[in-house]
Every structure is written in structure tokens, then in C-alpha cells.
Amino acid sequence: MQIQADYSSDGCTGVTYYAETADEYRHGQRKTAKRLGPGVIDITTQTSSSEAVLLMGMRVLVLQRKAPPSTGIVVQDGQCGGAESVRPFWTDLDKPNSPIIAEADPGGPGDPGHPPVTFPFKVLRNDPEVFELTSKDTTCFCTYAVEIDWVVAGKAGKTILNNGGSGFWVGADPQLPAYKNPLQSANPNALIRAKYQQLFP
């Protein structure tokens, strides 16, 4: 049984926290940067065994919760890739025990999508399962891990995915000044004042 998790490019918001001031940003001084917005990871499960593997459940474990910085700025200044068809789930790190909720897959061209599908899932040889987990929060700079319960050949176990020990990152800082940096602008350091909530799709 192999289970791995990586940051998803589909989850990019293009919104970044900078510890610098707006004037420092405009002068190209941008040393401290962290991506903000929902944290999205892709979880791939596969097996080479002739025995089917049952995935019984998935949980989020908050590893660290810090208050967001009170100084700096938030800027929408990046671009993101397009979405792929996976089994989507989401969780809210602001809520106690952060329950994981299945979402419908809207599909796309040539893909009808599917309604929400919940655990358990069966993983067969040459038939992996890929989950996309979106972790939302509005209050903290947090890191988290994901724990998956499974059963194979009558034996139960669990796998903890923690990004090599550092955890997966998710952050929000709605109290700071927010800006947009128009990508079509001739000035790469241009800033236009915006509302924090307008920076996220």
C-alpha cells in the first residue's frame, strides 16, 4: 500500500503575505513571502497487491496554530493552473476537530463529474484513488497533517501524511492591508488597494 500527498498546483490562489510595507514592495524589497488562502493537497493511494485495500476514513491533525502577523501586506500577484478531475474533499481548520466533507465533482469537457462520494473507498491494483483535500481557515497561520485509516488482508493500519515532518501549510491574514498587482501592468511593483475578500475566487 502506497499513500503520498503533495501540494496541488490547482489550489494556488496567487495571494501572498509580505512582511514588508507597501512602499518597500513598490521599491522591489520583497524578502519574506508566504502564500495565503485555502491549502490544497493531492493524496494518491495505490497498491501493487492482488488484495483490495479499503480506505476507511481520513482526518486532519492540526500540528501548529499561530496568530497571523499584525504587520505587513497581502497582495494578489500570482497565477494559478487549471483544475483536474479528482475526488474533492474540504475541511475547515477554524472548527473543532476539523471534519472532512465530501464535495461534488463538477466535471468538465467530456467529464460528467459525480456527486459527493464518501468513505470507504476500494483501491485495486492498477486502479489508484486520488483525493484533493482543500483546507480552509480565516484566523491563523497553521500547519496540518492528514491521517488515513485502511484495511488490507484483514489487517487495519493508518498512514500519517505530514510533508516530511514539517506539515502542510495554510494561512489567512484578513486584518492586513490588501492589494492587487495587475499582471498586465508595465510596472511589476504596481499596487491597487483592494478588499481582502476580493482576492480569493
Side-chain angles (χ1 to χ4, degrees):
M1 181 65 185
Q2 296 179 335
I3 306 178
Q4 63 184 38
D6 297 291
Y7 285 107
S8 170
S9 60
D10 300 339
C12 169
T13 61
V15 179
T16 307
Y17 160 76
Y18 294 97
E20 291 72 30
T21 66
D23 282 343
E24 288 171 331
Y25 181 101
R26 292 186 179 100
H27 286 88
Q29 301 174 31
R30 302 195 291 274
K31 298 179 182 178
T32 305
K34 275 188 170 294
R35 285 292 183 194
L36 299 186
V40 184
I41 59 175
D42 288 336
I43 301 170
T44 303
T45 62
Q46 54 190 346
T47 180
S48 58
S49 171
S50 59
E51 294 269 3
V53 177
L54 287 178
L55 306 178
M56 306 304 295
M58 181 164 55
R59 287 178 298 281
V60 165
L61 310 173
V62 177
L63 303 179
Q64 188 176 60
R65 185 182 297 273
K66 291 183 177 181
S70 58
T71 60
I73 60 174
V74 176
V75 184
Q76 185 183 59
D77 58 359
Q79 293 182 336
C80 304
E84 297 179 357
S85 178
V86 293
R87 296 196 184 275
F89 290 79
W90 69 275
T91 187
D92 186 345
L93 298 188
D94 291 334
K95 294 183 177 180
N97 300 321
S98 303
I100 291 179
I101 310 297
E103 290 188 297
D105 181 357
D111 178 5
H114 56 74
V117 182
T118 59
F119 286 87
F121 288 91
K122 182 183 290 187
V123 180
L124 302 171
R125 180 188 292 176
N126 300 322
D127 187 16
E129 285 284 359
V130 180
F131 306 98
E132 182 182 79
L133 176 62
T134 300
S135 299
K136 306 174 183 179
D137 94 281
T138 59
T139 61
C140 73
F141 274 28
C142 292
T143 57
Y144 64 96
V146 178
E147 185 177 72
I148 296 180
D149 296 324
W150 47 263
V151 175
V152 60
K155 296 182 179 181
K158 65 178 60 178
T159 298
I160 296 179
L161 307 167
N162 60 11
N163 195 27
S166 60
F168 294 98
W169 160 262
V170 63
D173 206 337
Q175 305 305 317
L176 290 184
Y179 300 87
K180 290 186 177 183
N181 181 331
L183 297 176
Q184 69 275 14
S185 171
N187 179 3
N189 300 320
L191 288 176
I192 298 175
R193 193 64 190 265
K195 293 183 178 180
Y196 183 89
Q197 291 77 8
Q198 294 175 334
L199 302 184
F200 300 95

